[in-house]
Amino acid sequence: MNIFVCVKQVPDTETKIVPSADGSFIETSSIKWIMNPYDEFAVEQALLIQAANAGSTVTVVRVGSTKDTEALRTAMAMGADDAFLVEANDNLDSYSIAKALKAAIEKSGKKPDIILTGKQAIDDDCLQVPQILATMMELPSVSVVVGYEGSATDITVKREIEGGALEVYGVKLPAVIACNKGINTPRYASLPGIMKAKKKPLTTLSLADAGVSEADRRVKYSNFQLPPEKPPGKKFDATDAAKMGGVVKEVVGLLRTEAKVI
Amino acid sequence: MDFNFTPDQLEIKDLAMKFAKNEMMPKAHEYDVKAELPHDILEKAWSLGLVNTCIPAEYGGNGFSAVDSMIITEALAYGCMGMNTAIMANDLALLPIVIGGSDEQKKRFLTPMTEKYKMAAFCLTEPGNGSDAGGIKTTIKEDGDDVVINGNKMWITNAGYADLFVLYGTTDPSLKHKGITAVVIEKGTKGIEIGKKEDKMGHRCSDTRGITFNNVRVPKANVLGGLNKGWSIAMKTLDHSRPMVAASAVGGAQCAFDHSVKYAKERVQFNVPIAQHQMIQAMIADMAMKIEASRLLVHKAAWLLDNGLPNTQLASYAKAFAADSCMQIATDAVQIYGGYGYSKEYPVEKIMRDAKLIQIYEGTSQIQRLVIAKEIFTR
């Protein structure tokens, strides 16, 4: 099987995010980059599928800046065979990213049997790329997948829906499958794996190579700013029963007049 | 001059820290209370290449430099100093083979350690001999093609689960250090009696026991570097192992520091977080300085080793300074936590107990000062 995994590089979860000085994006100079945690599930699932289907290859694809190639190196250290990077600014919109991913997959010269992604990236939380990519490639797609089984041609996936219930889908491959936490436990990239990853092929393409231009942009970021600081909460003294009645009245009154929620 | 880690070293550090935080830290308290070895965690660390860092690439290892192995050790000790002792003890036992073993011995003893997770134990200390290592009493006597070992060893890490024992004995106690001989003994050899697990203050998960060797017979082919050649192997082992133990002190200290900084920002007294009180600030600043100084000493001692330069003095600087700093930092961490610090429900109490051992094993802080003074006065 030709297995593809799309990964995104996101700021480490412990990063303190600040808007850049001109407000056009976030300040990226001091960010430590990691692979999007949901994409780790996708990489692990790709490796599990590869192990179950002898002769399969796992190719990782990413669109983003070359300042750090952490996500691709991690994926290859975990066991992926090769990687494609479409060089671009980190503030592309979902449509442009999906278009670039499609182009990179096609440039690999391999016809995909399955494309795995994380269900969303933890930085902008758009939850759009898998679906746009599937539409562009005219493939079926299932997102928020927490269970996976099947052969090289037919799979059964479980996806989480509201209220914790599960939907079960039978899917004919090729398809785009977006993984959620729970589908597997991602392996660590071992130290020998990290060393081996350096020798694995990484092909870099430009956005122009991928046929993506500014004209493809559907969303433009106009300004980044921190949310306004929350005003301090109000405290009400209801330490004894005698005060209780008055406090309840006061709170209800404020919810009406000040918060205007009732 | 370059203080930066290489990109490889940054990745090694990332993996080791991720493992320490995700796999070791959540279980550190549990295994401390149970006083049991977390075999699954140790095996997982091995499968990722974090154990036996001293084995050269040609014998199946990852070909790490000494600086690389310090980075790994610091991270693992950050996760749990006790678990790290079980991991580090493997390196301590294998180093004499790396340093003094023949090609045949390295293939026979080191390569299997890279194929399956096995533990190894370094047997030097005796009930009556610790710091005075030249005075060891365990005898190694020639008998035809074999040597026969008799004696008692004490405080042996990994003793209960080791597949390999690397033992220092003497062919003749009157020869003092000139009779010291190192020999490898495989598990199951007749005459090895493993004692009960010691009930220790800290590093409680690590398996520490006495071992009695009763007419234990092994082929001469297991003697490292020949009879009476053990002393120089032991000294060269210390040049590598002391910075490593110092690195573990840095890891423990860094963990105590991180907990302290976090707590100082959360704990409110006199209507402000205690981080705003100058006495707390002074303790935190002292901690930070000592950690950085310790780390630099560790890296320099390891860097000298990697460059084939003498490092005995630096190794002792690193060991004594990092261990004493770790003890002070862990004690201050408990102080910053106050009453909560004294409770086993908070993490710094364990670090304080664990820190104490670092001042004792692999040459006490006092022995390090003797080594340093000797280097100074004999030059």
Side-chain angles (χ1 to χ4, degrees):
Chain A
M1 289 175 78
N2 296 325
I3 306 162
F4 283 83
V5 190
C6 305
V7 301
K8 187 176 185 185
Q9 197 165 275
V10 297
D12 190 5
T13 46
E14 287 170 25
T15 309
K16 205 174 163 208
I17 302 289
V18 288
S20 54
D22 62 0
S24 65
F25 195 49
I26 56 166
E27 183 52 57
T28 55
S29 59
S30 59
I31 284 178
K32 181 178 179 312
W33 298 95
I34 58 166
M35 192 200 300
N36 176 38
Y38 290 110
D39 299 345
E40 285 189 31
F41 299 111
V43 175
E44 177 64 31
Q45 198 56 41
L47 297 170
L48 293 174
I49 297 168
Q50 183 187 37
N53 295 280
S56 302
T57 56
V58 175
T59 303
V60 236
V61 187
R62 182 190 149 228
V63 179
S65 70
T66 48
K67 265 178 282 174
D68 196 336
T69 50
E70 181 66 29
L72 291 178
R73 274 187 286 122
T74 303
M76 289 196 283
M78 286 168 77
D81 299 295
D82 57 351
F84 284 82
L85 170 67
V86 182
E87 218 182 317
N89 287 331
D90 282 314
N91 64 356
L92 279 194
D93 69 332
S94 303
Y95 186 89
S96 308
I97 290 173
K99 191 171 177 190
L101 287 171
K102 174 174 181 271
I105 291 169
E106 286 166 356
K107 293 252 179 206
S108 76
K110 289 186 283 192
K111 198 177 164 302
D113 291 302
I114 186 166
I115 300 168
L116 294 146
T117 69
K119 67 159 179 164
Q120 74 191 84
I122 60 158
D123 51 0
D124 55 20
D125 287 316
C126 285
L127 293 100
Q128 298 189 112
V129 170
Q131 293 80 352
I132 299 174
L133 176 64
T135 307
M136 286 175 171
M137 299 194 74
E138 297 179 7
L139 296 176
S141 84
V142 186
S143 188
V144 206
V145 171
V146 292
Y148 182 105
E149 54 187 38
S151 68
T153 53
D154 295 89
I155 58 169
T156 306
V157 292
K158 290 180 186 150
R159 73 181 294 266
E160 257 177 7
I161 55 168
E162 300 282 312
L166 293 175
E167 282 178 349
V168 182
Y169 286 82
V171 184
K172 276 228 176 299
L173 296 182
V176 177
I177 302 295
C179 307
N180 191 20
K181 188 178 177 178
I183 189 171
N184 55 43
T185 308
R187 68 196 68 189
Y188 288 95
S190 72
L191 291 177
I194 289 170
M195 299 305 155
K196 267 188 228 151
K198 293 176 203 313
K199 298 194 186 93
K200 293 183 177 175
L202 167 69
T203 310
T204 306
L205 305 170
S206 69
L207 267 184
D209 294 337
V212 179
S213 69
E214 266 305 300
D216 288 305
R217 218 183 240 287
R218 297 296 191 271
V219 177
K220 278 199 173 71
Y221 296 115
S222 57
N223 185 250
F224 278 75
Q225 54 190 34
L226 290 175
E229 226 172 281
K230 255 193 179 167
K234 273 202 169 71
K235 274 187 185 170
F236 301 93
D237 183 10
T239 41
D240 58 61
K243 291 176 185 159
M244 211 69 94
V247 166
V248 169
K249 251 185 208 149
E250 195 190 344
V251 171
V252 170
L254 286 170
L255 286 173
R256 279 217 174 92
T257 58
E258 208 167 274
K260 295 188 174 127
V261 291
I262 52 173
Chain B
M1 191 84 189
D2 187 355
F3 286 102
N4 289 312
F5 286 151
T6 64
D8 281 4
Q9 286 169 338
L10 287 173
E11 287 192 59
I12 290 169
K13 185 183 166 203
D14 267 2
L15 169 67
M17 276 308 280
K18 207 168 157 187
F19 186 81
K21 285 184 176 170
N22 296 346
E23 309 289 328
M24 299 169 84
M25 277 178 99
K27 297 279 185 177
H29 176 73
E30 176 190 336
Y31 282 97
D32 178 62
V33 172
K34 287 202 289 196
E36 271 177 31
L37 268 180
H39 291 284
D40 55 336
I41 296 175
L42 300 179
E43 185 159 1
K44 196 163 187 186
W46 172 84
S47 73
L48 295 175
L50 297 168
V51 183
N52 306 330
T53 54
C54 69
I55 300 181
E58 56 263 49
Y59 300 103
N62 288 318
F64 289 130
S65 69
V67 174
D68 296 342
S69 72
M70 299 311 146
I71 293 167
I72 293 171
T73 299
E74 181 187 326
L76 298 183
Y78 186 99
C80 174
M81 276 196 265
M83 292 181 203
N84 177 64
T85 285
I87 291 170
M88 196 166 55
N90 260 38
D91 268 310
L92 181 56
L94 301 182
L95 277 167
I97 304 174
V98 174
I99 291 163
S102 65
D103 179 57
E104 180 276 327
Q105 287 171 327
K106 289 176 188 174
K107 279 186 184 130
R108 189 152 53 100
F109 298 126
L110 298 180
T111 306
M113 305 292 288
T114 67
E115 291 161 351
K116 190 169 177 291
Y117 180 57
K118 293 160 183 262
M119 301 188 91
F122 177 79
C123 311
L124 173 66
T125 304
E126 299 181 347
N129 285 83
S131 294
D132 182 13
I136 48 183
K137 305 250 176 346
T138 297
T139 56
I140 299 177
K141 297 285 184 194
E142 273 187 278
D143 186 24
D145 287 337
D146 298 335
V147 290
V148 177
I149 301 138
N150 275 291
N152 297 310
K153 292 293 176 181
M154 193 62 197
W155 311 119
I156 307 306
T157 307
N158 292 350
Y161 299 94
D163 276 284
L164 283 186
F165 301 89
V166 176
L167 174 138
Y168 284 93
T170 175
T171 54
D172 178 354
S174 70
L175 291 174
K176 295 292 282 181
H177 61 268
K178 290 189 176 125
I180 303 295
T181 300
V183 63
V184 183
I185 304 163
E186 287 174 271
K187 180 187 175 173
T189 309
K190 211 172 142 221
I192 306 175
E193 280 172 40
I194 313 275
K196 68 163 181 58
K197 181 172 175 172
E198 297 295 335
D199 188 8
K200 307 189 298 293
M201 175 196 274
H203 297 239
R204 291 180 54 77
C205 73
S206 116
D207 190 82
T208 314
R209 299 166 192 263
I211 309 180
T212 303
F213 294 86
N214 268 328
N215 288 316
V216 173
R217 183 177 285 272
V218 297
K220 263 189 194 161
N222 284 18
V223 174
L224 299 174
L227 291 167
N228 301 332
K229 302 289 186 208
W231 187 252
S232 81
I233 298 174
M235 292 303 107
K236 283 180 194 152
T237 299
L238 294 174
D239 290 341
H240 191 114
S241 60
R242 281 179 174 160
M244 214 167 164
V245 174
S248 78
V250 179
Q254 183 72 49
C255 187
F257 172 80
D258 289 351
H259 282 304
S260 301
V261 170
K262 186 167 173 280
Y263 187 78
K265 288 195 236 168
E266 288 166 1
R267 172 76 168 170
V268 173
Q269 290 292 283
F270 305 102
N271 298 320
V272 292
I274 59 171
Q276 291 182 28
H277 296 309
Q278 287 189 343
M279 292 225 192
I280 300 290
Q281 291 176 0
M283 276 199 273
I284 294 283
D286 280 342
M287 287 178 171
M289 283 192 284
K290 283 179 179 159
I291 290 169
E292 188 63 13
S294 301
R295 186 178 287 128
L296 291 173
L297 284 172
V298 169
H299 290 168
K300 181 160 184 196
W303 178 86
L304 288 169
L305 199 61
D306 284 334
N307 286 281
L309 298 166
N311 79 333
T312 304
Q313 195 168 339
L314 254 296
S316 286
Y317 287 180
K319 168 69 172 67
F321 190 82
D324 293 349
S325 298
C326 181
M327 189 70 240
Q328 182 66 56
I329 288 162
T331 308
D332 286 349
V334 171
Q335 193 69 22
I336 288 169
Y337 269 71
Y340 294 100
Y342 205 63
S343 161
K344 280 184 192 287
E345 284 189 30
Y346 289 79
V348 289
E349 177 267 355
K350 172 182 177 290
I351 300 175
M352 183 172 167
R353 285 186 284 111
D354 287 346
K356 188 65 214 170
L357 183 55
I358 313 283
Q359 290 180 300
I360 297 170
Y361 69 9
E362 209 60 14
T364 62
S365 290
Q366 289 67 37
I367 288 292
Q368 304 307 332
R369 286 170 171 84
L370 295 184
V371 171
I372 294 163
K374 189 180 164 206
E375 293 284 319
I376 292 168
F377 287 118
T378 53
R379 255 153 224 253

